[in-house]
Amino acid sequence: MGYSKSDKAETHTRIVSVAAKRFRELGLEGIGVADVMKEAGVTVGGFYKHFDSRDELVVEALATAFQDLDRWEEHTDTLTKALEKYLSEEHRDAPGTGCALGALLGDMSRASRSAKAVYTARLKRTLAYSTGLVPPNGTSDRRARAILTISAMLGAINLSRGVSDPNLSREILQQTRDQLISLNRPAKVHLPGDASRAGARYGS
Amino acid sequence: MGYSKSDKAETHTRIVSVAAKRFRELGLEGIGVADVMKEAGVTVGGFYKHFDSRDELVVEALATAFQDLDRWEEHTDTLTKALEKYLSEEHRDAPGTGCALGALLGDMSRASRSAKAVYTARLKRTLAYSTGLVPPNGTSDRRARAILTISAMLGAINLSRGVSDPNLSREILQQTRDQLISLNRPAKVHLPGDASRAGARYGS
DNA sequence: ATTATCTATAGATCTATAGATAATGC
DNA sequence: ATTATCTATAGATCTATAGATAATGC
């Protein structure tokens, strides 16, 4: 059991990592500081040497959870790939390591001002990134389609986790995924010489 | 202050009505039985003469909240009307009297088995109803488009309530609404003699 | 001497229950 | 006599703090 400054930093990281996982699984009010500390291998008494308040842990845990989203976005360079991974049963069944925008969607309307600010900033980043993945189609704005796509992704992953009927849960994932993929297929370009750009990355 | 059997029934209704409103506003764990009882004009001690457990109140309150959805569905006979009302700032700002499928979406993954069952049954009803409002378009299944539409509606209303930036909140509502309306526009029918059916109600 | 963590606990919840009170209804 | 509601409280949380203990680091 360490007591050095570097040990404290490691303990801090461990506490925040546990919280980032458990908050996504159980909600921002779903686990107390004592249980988070215990799972991080320490006791509750040290908590306020690491954080001024419980909400400070929430904010740090949110930021850490969003780092998983960074890695996710780095590895999915097309919208179709992102949709297939996001709206999968694997993601549905692993909220603790999945997208925090999805896992904590319903918690944000009742969260602290500071937690909301972190969530909102991250949503803006992901919206900008997604707008870059949406192909132009001549019919509607790319940002508008990115907003629809994100709304549907977040709604569907939450529904799939909330309903008690496994068949309905799967159907929601599959159909939302298929609809969004076909909706975000690049428009067939009829101008001669303009080759199909399906699967390409679209500049901003 | 009444003590008769019919008074008890009225008290019971009042308790459930308060809960149906407050649970939508604050989440299923956001208010305790004592505060619900107080707001219904009675004291906490009588609670377990009305309900076997707190979860029984949750289940009854859910059923009552869904009655608001019944009335809603009765008064919106086209998908466009439903979308304009659902994805409005008025609905966003009044979760307590609004759609419980939206207000409690994020709570369901952590709710009791019985609460989930009530929610799931209601979602199925609304999905069947919405499938009837979605126009055929020859491209994709109507039920599939109803699933996409509901996912996006629930995702967008939750996002609009959760983000701290009012402009982003409005944009999410507007763009999701506009995208879903244009997506669910009846296909222009090119066969001669087949008149436009825009705005009509579509049979199952 | 400082500090990272520990044990212990105060004070504020929250669900659920016990027993008293004041009505109803036979 | 029965019962709808009341006051009061047990027991289980949960956040936050106080003070002790056992390391680190000058």
Side-chain angles (χ1 to χ4, degrees):
Chain A
M1 191 177 303
Y3 283 81
S4 71
K5 253 182 182 167
S6 66
D7 283 337
K8 187 183 184 186
E10 274 175 39
T11 299
H12 191 96
T13 303
R14 235 178 315 118
I15 296 168
V16 175
S17 293
V18 168
K21 183 179 184 186
R22 295 292 175 223
F23 285 154
R24 275 176 283 182
E25 290 173 351
L26 309 170
L28 294 182
E29 312 289 326
I31 186 169
V33 298
D35 286 336
V36 171
M37 293 296 272
K38 181 183 270 186
E39 198 175 340
V42 284
T43 58
V44 65
F47 183 83
Y48 292 88
K49 293 292 186 326
H50 284 274
F51 308 95
D52 284 346
S53 67
R54 184 185 190 281
D55 191 58
E56 201 171 287
L57 172 65
V58 170
V59 167
E60 283 195 38
L62 264 182
T64 294
F66 285 138
Q67 288 175 9
D68 290 354
L69 206 49
D70 287 335
R71 279 191 291 278
W72 194 318
E73 288 177 0
E74 278 166 25
H75 294 299
T76 53
D77 54 344
T78 72
L79 197 53
T80 298
K81 277 192 214 169
L83 283 164
E84 280 172 352
K85 202 172 164 191
Y86 200 98
L87 296 177
S88 69
E89 295 180 51
E90 290 70 32
H91 183 212
R92 178 197 64 193
D93 296 335
T97 56
C99 171
L101 291 174
L104 300 172
L105 173 65
D107 287 31
M108 293 323 296
S109 64
R110 302 143 198 160
S112 70
R113 185 184 303 263
S114 46
K116 268 177 158 160
V118 175
Y119 186 97
T120 302
R122 179 64 212 206
L123 180 67
K124 286 180 180 178
R125 262 177 59 110
T126 295
L127 178 54
Y129 176 77
S130 300
T131 302
L133 290 185
V134 163
N137 75 352
T139 306
S140 69
D141 197 55
R142 288 163 76 196
R143 182 172 165 94
R145 255 173 310 133
I147 288 174
L148 171 68
T149 302
I150 289 174
S151 291
M153 286 169 79
L154 297 181
I157 195 79
N158 271 277
L159 277 175
S160 76
R161 286 172 178 155
V163 301
S164 51
D165 179 336
N167 291 322
L168 180 59
S169 174
R170 259 193 305 273
E171 189 187 8
I172 290 165
L173 290 176
Q174 281 175 15
Q175 301 288 32
T176 305
R177 189 191 59 208
D178 292 352
Q179 290 284 305
L180 288 177
I181 288 174
S182 83
L183 197 78
N184 285 298
R185 226 182 278 288
K188 296 265 184 348
V189 179
H190 295 293
L191 298 175
D194 191 350
S196 167
R197 298 163 72 200
R201 185 136 177 193
Y202 303 89
S204 63
Chain B
M1 190 174 305
Y3 284 80
S4 71
K5 250 181 187 169
S6 66
D7 284 336
K8 187 184 184 187
E10 273 175 40
T11 301
H12 191 95
T13 303
R14 234 178 315 117
I15 297 167
V16 175
S17 293
V18 169
K21 182 178 184 187
R22 294 294 175 220
F23 283 155
R24 277 177 282 183
E25 288 173 352
L26 308 170
L28 293 182
E29 311 290 326
I31 187 169
V33 296
D35 285 336
V36 171
M37 293 296 274
K38 180 183 271 184
E39 199 175 340
V42 284
T43 59
V44 64
F47 183 83
Y48 292 88
K49 293 290 187 324
H50 284 275
F51 307 95
D52 284 344
S53 66
R54 183 184 190 280
D55 191 58
E56 202 172 285
L57 172 63
V58 169
V59 168
E60 284 195 37
L62 264 182
T64 295
F66 285 138
Q67 289 175 9
D68 291 353
L69 204 50
D70 287 335
R71 278 190 292 278
W72 195 318
E73 288 176 0
E74 278 166 25
H75 293 298
T76 54
D77 54 344
T78 71
L79 197 53
T80 298
K81 277 192 213 167
L83 283 163
E84 279 171 353
K85 200 171 166 193
Y86 199 98
L87 295 177
S88 69
E89 295 179 50
E90 290 69 33
H91 183 212
R92 178 196 65 193
D93 297 335
T97 55
C99 171
L101 291 174
L104 299 172
L105 173 66
D107 287 31
M108 293 322 295
S109 66
R110 302 144 198 159
S112 71
R113 186 184 303 261
S114 46
K116 269 176 157 161
V118 176
Y119 186 97
T120 302
R122 179 64 213 207
L123 179 68
K124 287 179 180 178
R125 263 177 57 113
T126 295
L127 177 55
Y129 176 77
S130 300
T131 301
L133 289 186
V134 163
N137 74 352
T139 306
S140 70
D141 197 58
R142 288 163 77 195
R143 181 172 165 96
R145 256 174 307 134
I147 289 174
L148 172 68
T149 301
I150 289 174
S151 291
M153 287 169 79
L154 297 181
I157 195 80
N158 272 277
L159 276 175
S160 76
R161 286 171 178 158
V163 301
S164 51
D165 179 336
N167 291 321
L168 181 59
S169 175
R170 259 193 304 274
E171 189 187 9
I172 290 165
L173 291 177
Q174 282 176 13
Q175 300 288 33
T176 304
R177 189 192 58 209
D178 292 353
Q179 289 283 306
L180 287 178
I181 288 173
S182 82
L183 196 79
N184 285 299
R185 227 182 278 287
K188 297 265 184 346
V189 179
H190 295 291
L191 297 175
D194 191 348
S196 168
R197 299 163 71 199
R201 182 135 180 198
Y202 302 89
S204 61

